[in-house]
Amino acid sequence: MKSGGKLVALLILFLMAFSVAASGCIGGGEKSTTTSTSSATPTQTTSTSATSQVGILEMDKVYVIATDKSVVIVGPKGESPTVNIPSGKKVIKVQYEVDAENTPSVKDLMDQGQGFGAINPAFFRDEHVDALVVAARRETDPTIRTELFKALYILGNHLVPEAILGQNKQLRVYWSWVKGRYYHPTLAERYDLLSEDSNAPPAVDIGIKDYKNDPETYVIGTFGWPESFDPAWTYETFGWEIWHEIGDTLVTYWKEETEQVSPDLAVAWAHNKDGTEWYFLIRGGGVKAYDPWNDKTYPIDATDVAFTFLRVERLGHSVSWMVDSFMDVNHSAALTEDEFDQYLKEHPLVAEYKGKSTTVKSLDELKKFFGYNGETAGVFKLVLPQPYAPVLGILADPFLSVVPMEYLLGDKYEEALKASNNGHDPSAWWNYLQEGQDDPTHQLMHKKPVGTGPFYVKDYQENSYIVLEYNPYYWNATNNPGHTRVIYVLNKDPMARIQLFKTGTVDAVAIPPDKMDTVKGLELNGFKSVVKTDILEPILTFIVFNTQKEPFNNPKVRQAIAYAIPYDQIAKLVYNNLLERNYGPIPKPWPGYIEEGIIKYNYNLAKAQQLLKEAGVDPSKYSIELIYNSGNSAREKIMTYLQNTLTQLGFQVTVNSYEWPTYLSKTEHGQYDIYVVGWVPDYLDSDNWVGPFLYGATEFKSVEVTTS
């Protein structure tokens, strides 16, 4: 998930053990020939030796990558390596056959705005790399998956469609009167679960209408703007944070939990033995979506769930890649409890929860296994084209927050419900929706969001403020929520935000790392400022090359620019040393991260000049635009430093900024040369880094993995 660099609740220290079992990925396509992005021979790895033989051994019709424990060979069926394969290591062979007819062109994906969606943000395509990504997704053996991820890390490091600036350390700034803060790698905090000390300062006027910051109001000083208030049309941290507050997904992570999901709108679930069919029992007993714009409520059932999933795919925004890649929403369905109960009698399913597993043969057995005895509202059958172990992690993502079908379709609701046979055939809904931003349901939700969560959007003014109010119809409402109101106060100027913090106008603030010292040691009414920097997040900050434009279609040029980045200067002066070096598309310590066989890029202009010469590129013939999202002073400095070094190499360089929604649109459509962004994982699996960073959307007729 793209990060605009705003205040976002993220991260907990995590273990290697759960990272394989959690989740992550991407989808899309172009022609079957490998482009020049992979044709050039990479420079010699700085850490490969003849004795260790770790790194890239061959890059031709077949790629051969040696890791510390295995040799990974990938190529089309019928092709074989020409190098000698090192002995004493497991050999993992990936053979593939491209489906050229169903692989969309990179240009089409650009036109559709699929950057960081169906295809990686660099619009980079390499069939060998794509086959490895698909193989890792389909593989079920975690040890083999890890070796495939290592090969992808090494290839990403050498082919460098994105140059990794580093892995972020968390920076959180808030007053000590805020209680109960917690950290999760993919989800924001729920602000009704946070509270404030009863002795917190009295109400402070925040300068927006008659809103005040009191102990029941959580005020955040930040910047930016959500890509959309439509969950199906937002793929960045701010939009996901809003929907984690105002929506509910089928399953969720409770606070800092990362190893297993908890029930949300689904109270129980089970799957068939091969993991291609999942059944979710939907919570009943008064779950309603609240429409504050018309003061109405809409009951939620399994048909709304089926509609939600199909709608994400139908609108086709970049976030839809997770549905398109891992789910078959057209053959999914809404079932009644009786239909599901009858199905279970002849088709027992596997249920897993809290570390236990059982086979269930009736609806009552499933409810009992999950300890649920309340009302239900139907069953959602989710079909997967192939098993994907991390799928539950995707279902916890806010973009799959359940929305009310009746609200969105209005007077077409009954007709659409009938056309789908009450949700048994969701594919009928394609006729009631359309692709892109002009879809009427998107236009409605974009301006007037409606959800089932603990808060609702009460008031907003673009680029100024957003007010969330506690939902009086929330199904899990408490008489004493920690906060009954959340206000985002938006200001591009970091010093203005810091002043709001110093006066207690805001409870928490987003600041650039280089401004940390301005908020340390503050005191107000007996409370102290809290500045937390102790967690290494699974978040990567990086620059993205447009690999479809000259000279960035040449990997040696990308390597040259990677050597022209002043990493130490950026880490120290921009991030106040809250940026740790990383050299490829997997963060520490996730499976696949490796420090052998890679190029450890450092600031070396002589090396950069040498690589440009080897590539046959005259920098003076190229004008490069470096872009960043306005209001992000850290990224502004990064691009200013990069402008300086690239100018020294001879390039003509300009730096420009764009508002966050415009920035997203330009980058998603390939309308850039080089840009800077951060990646917050969608779900917890190494695939959710290598896929989004490297997958070029090639479709395959077959991908086969063999080991020896």
Side-chain angles (χ1 to χ4, degrees), residues 258-329:
T258 55
E259 295 192 39
Q260 65 178 14
V261 295
S262 297
D264 197 353
L265 291 189
V267 296
W269 53 88
H271 59 82
N272 63 358
K273 288 185 178 179
D274 64 6
T276 56
E277 291 181 3
W278 289 73
Y279 297 83
F280 297 88
L281 186 59
I282 306 305
R283 186 183 300 276
V287 175
K288 300 174 183 177
Y290 176 45
D291 169 12
W293 318 104
N294 301 292
D295 196 23
K296 292 180 61 177
T297 61
Y298 298 89
I300 294 295
D301 61 24
T303 57
D304 297 290
V305 180
F307 177 79
T308 294
F309 279 62
L310 182 126
R311 180 174 175 271
V312 170
E313 171 138 331
R314 181 67 174 108
L315 266 60
H317 185 50
S318 58
V319 73
S320 68
W321 74 265
M322 284 177 277
V323 173
D324 182 66
S325 298
F326 306 121
M327 307 172 201
D328 182 356
V329 292

Side-chain angles (χ1 to χ4, degrees), residues 84 106 138 165 249 289 318 374 414 445 526 584 621 623 665 698:
N84 292 325
V106 174
R138 297 180 182 177
L165 300 178
T249 46
S318 58
E414 293 293 345
M445 188 67 85
K621 295 182 178 180
S623 297
S665 179
T698 304

Side-chain angles (χ1 to χ4, degrees), residues 188-366:
E189 295 160 292
R190 275 259 307 271
Y191 298 130
D192 59 322
L193 303 181
L194 308 188
S195 61
E196 298 186 22
D197 192 293
S198 59
N199 294 315
V204 177
D205 192 332
I206 66 172
I208 297 172
K209 296 185 175 179
D210 59 352
Y211 294 117
K212 298 182 182 298
N213 184 5
D214 56 40
E216 290 190 354
T217 303
Y218 191 55
V219 184
I220 304 168
T222 186
F223 61 95
W225 189 256
E227 184 177 11
S228 176
F229 284 130
D230 183 350
W233 203 272
T234 183
Y235 196 20
E236 40 77 46
T237 52
F238 205 163
W240 280 28
E241 177 172 336
I242 295 293
W243 268 94
H244 191 53
E245 309 303 327
I246 69 173
D248 283 298
T249 46
L250 288 178
V251 297
T252 191
Y253 290 103
W254 181 249
K255 291 191 173 181
E256 60 263 73
E257 179 60 71
T258 55
E259 295 192 39
Q260 65 178 14
V261 295
S262 297
D264 197 353
L265 291 189
V267 296
W269 53 88
H271 59 82
N272 63 358
K273 288 185 178 179
D274 64 6
T276 56
E277 291 181 3
W278 289 73
Y279 297 83
F280 297 88
L281 186 59
I282 306 305
R283 186 183 300 276
V287 175
K288 300 174 183 177
Y290 176 45
D291 169 12
W293 318 104
N294 301 292
D295 196 23
K296 292 180 61 177
T297 61
Y298 298 89
I300 294 295
D301 61 24
T303 57
D304 297 290
V305 180
F307 177 79
T308 294
F309 279 62
L310 182 126
R311 180 174 175 271
V312 170
E313 171 138 331
R314 181 67 174 108
L315 266 60
H317 185 50
S318 58
V319 73
S320 68
W321 74 265
M322 284 177 277
V323 173
D324 182 66
S325 298
F326 306 121
M327 307 172 201
D328 182 356
V329 292
N330 289 301
H331 294 96
S332 299
L335 308 175
T336 67
E337 287 84 351
D338 287 342
E339 289 171 332
F340 181 53
D341 201 31
Q342 283 297 120
Y343 180 83
L344 280 171
K345 290 178 181 178
E346 298 181 8
H347 306 87
L349 298 175
V350 178
E352 298 160 322
Y353 185 52
K354 292 187 176 180
K356 297 180 179 180
S357 178
T358 190
T359 299
V360 293
K361 300 179 181 179
S362 72
L363 180 59
D364 285 341
E365 286 182 8
L366 180 62

Side-chain angles (χ1 to χ4, degrees), residues 32-196:
S32 61
T33 54
T34 302
T35 69
S36 61
T37 55
S38 63
S39 59
T41 302
T43 57
Q44 178 65 31
T45 160
T46 58
S47 55
T48 300
S49 68
T51 54
S52 65
Q53 288 189 295
V54 176
I56 298 174
L57 307 183
E58 180 176 352
M59 288 188 76
D60 197 359
K61 293 180 179 178
V62 170
Y63 287 2
V64 181
I65 309 99
T67 75
D68 54 338
K69 295 181 179 179
S70 68
V71 178
V72 177
I73 303 169
V74 58
K77 284 186 176 180
E79 299 289 350
S80 299
T82 60
V83 297
N84 292 325
I85 304 302
S87 60
K89 292 184 177 182
K90 178 184 289 186
V91 177
I92 303 171
K93 193 169 186 178
V94 178
Q95 294 181 301
Y96 63 82
E97 186 178 0
V98 171
D99 184 354
E101 184 178 349
N102 290 310
T103 298
S105 71
V106 174
K107 182 181 183 303
D108 285 347
L109 293 170
M110 279 186 171
D111 291 343
Q112 296 164 16
Q114 287 293 329
F116 244 146
I119 192 168
N120 61 74
F123 294 93
F124 164 79
R125 172 169 287 166
D126 183 311
E127 291 171 0
H128 297 333
V129 173
D130 286 358
L132 282 176
V133 171
V134 171
R137 290 176 177 173
R138 297 180 182 177
E139 181 57 52
T140 57
D141 185 329
T143 59
I144 295 176
R145 289 189 87 218
T146 295
E147 296 307 303
L148 294 174
F149 288 140
K150 289 177 185 176
L152 285 163
Y153 186 93
I154 292 170
L155 286 169
N157 164 266
H158 281 254
L159 294 172
V160 66
E162 304 93 9
I164 310 300
L165 300 178
Q167 185 172 342
N168 295 76
K169 290 185 177 180
Q170 183 191 68
L171 170 59
R172 277 189 168 183
V173 180
Y174 57 96
W175 283 107
S176 61
W177 61 67
V178 179
K179 305 298 181 182
R181 298 207 68 177
Y182 61 92
Y183 311 96
H184 193 275
T186 59
L187 297 177
E189 295 160 292
R190 275 259 307 271
Y191 298 130
D192 59 322
L193 303 181
L194 308 188
S195 61
E196 298 186 22

Side-chain angles (χ1 to χ4, degrees), residues 356-389:
K356 297 180 179 180
S357 178
T358 190
T359 299
V360 293
K361 300 179 181 179
S362 72
L363 180 59
D364 285 341
E365 286 182 8
L366 180 62
K367 292 174 68 174
K368 184 177 180 181
F369 180 70
F370 276 81
Y372 183 76
N373 56 13
E375 296 180 38
T376 57
V379 176
F380 173 54
K381 173 187 177 182
L382 177 63
V383 176
L384 311 186
Q386 301 195 37
Y388 190 58

Side-chain angles (χ1 to χ4, degrees), residues 496-511:
R497 296 196 302 272
I498 288 170
Q499 185 59 31
L500 290 173
F501 180 72
K502 287 182 175 180
T503 59
T505 305
V506 301
D507 300 299
V509 65
I511 65 168

